[in-house]
């Protein structure tokens, strides 16, 4: 990949290394995107609750750095732009951040509305500060689920990086 100026990256679960991922393969990666979300969801509807807390983020970073020996700058912290609505013990529905905030703009600053669990702006701000100080960067799943106005999580990330002194490109709200 180097002769072609290409990077080799991968996205991996927060606290699990696939047995097929050999040490040489891990070492060949330029960086890893930690999917620090989906601790619960539609595959486990009886486990109602948050799927991507700040504690989850800290635990996932610790796993890849301490247990797997990956250097901090070779890790990116993944943040979700979606949530899960636990309708009952058998049914969970994914909701975009945009839809959650569309129903009530005050939801932008919360992590839970009824049985819907997601990351609002304060949590994303905290995770961005964590990413800026503990790992190489941040990864978004999935940008198309954001709001494209002043409630935007991308805009929140941009402002949070500026708060910790990271120079970024201009952000259009």
């Amino acid at each position: 990949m180097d002769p072609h100026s290409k990077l080799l990256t991968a996205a991996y679960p927060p606290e699990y290394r696939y047995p097929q991922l050999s040490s040489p393969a891990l070492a060949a990666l330029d960086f890893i995107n930690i999917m620090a979300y989906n601790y619960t969801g539609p595959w486990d509807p009886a486990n109602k609750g948050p799927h991507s807390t700040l504690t989850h983020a800290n635990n996932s970073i610790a796993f890849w750095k301490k247990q797997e020996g990956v250097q901090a700058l070779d890790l990116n912290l993944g943040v979700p732009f979606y949530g899960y609505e636990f309708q009952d013990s058998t049914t969970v529905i994914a909701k975009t951040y945009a839809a959650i905030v569309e129903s009530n703009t005050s939801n932008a600053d919360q992590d839970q509305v009824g049985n819907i669990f997601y990351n609002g702006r304060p949590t994303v701000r905290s995770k961005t500060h964590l990413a800026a100080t503990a790992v190489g960067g941040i990864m978004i799943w999935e940008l198309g689920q954001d709001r494209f106005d002043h409630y935007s999580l991308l805009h929140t990330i941009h402002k949070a990086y500026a708060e910790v002194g990271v120079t970024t490109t201009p952000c259009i709200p």
Side-chain angles (χ1 to χ4, degrees):
M1 301 295 284
D2 290 337
H4 301 285
S5 300
K6 303 293 182 188
L7 299 176
L8 181 60
T9 72
Y12 285 117
E15 296 182 57
Y16 180 75
R17 178 175 167 181
Y18 294 109
Q20 302 86 347
L21 179 59
S22 68
S23 293
L26 182 63
L29 295 171
D30 290 293
F31 62 85
I32 293 172
N33 292 308
I34 305 169
M35 299 184 297
Y37 38 79
N38 288 350
Y39 276 80
T40 189
W43 54 92
D44 193 8
N47 187 15
K48 174 181 153 183
H51 74 99
S52 183
T53 65
L54 186 57
T55 298
H56 291 140
N58 276 298
N59 291 346
S60 64
I61 289 170
F63 172 83
W64 284 100
K65 283 170 68 172
K66 294 177 183 170
Q67 185 167 328
E68 298 303 325
V70 179
Q71 297 298 308
L73 291 178
D74 295 338
L75 296 170
N76 292 319
L77 177 64
V79 294
F81 280 21
Y82 64 90
Y84 289 121
E85 179 179 10
F86 289 80
Q87 293 187 333
D88 55 40
S89 63
T90 62
T91 307
V92 179
I93 296 174
K95 300 272 188 181
T96 67
Y97 169 79
I100 295 166
V101 175
E102 181 69 27
S103 67
N104 186 331
T105 55
S106 69
N107 294 347
D109 294 321
Q110 301 177 56
D111 289 336
Q112 179 183 353
V113 176
N115 291 326
I116 304 171
F117 299 88
Y118 60 101
N119 285 178
R121 292 185 301 182
T123 297
V124 168
R125 181 178 297 107
S126 294
K127 287 182 176 184
T128 304
H129 287 186
L130 175 63
T133 59
V135 295
I138 201 158
M139 181 268 291
I140 298 164
W141 189 270
E142 166 218 344
L143 186 58
Q145 298 179 347
D146 197 11
R147 290 223 7 161
F148 300 100
D149 58 15
H150 61 278
Y151 295 105
S152 166
L153 293 177
L154 180 61
H155 187 67
T156 300
I157 290 168
H158 184 265
K159 286 179 12 182
Y161 267 119
E163 290 167 5
V164 297
V166 174
T167 303
T168 62
T169 58
C171 183
I172 300 169

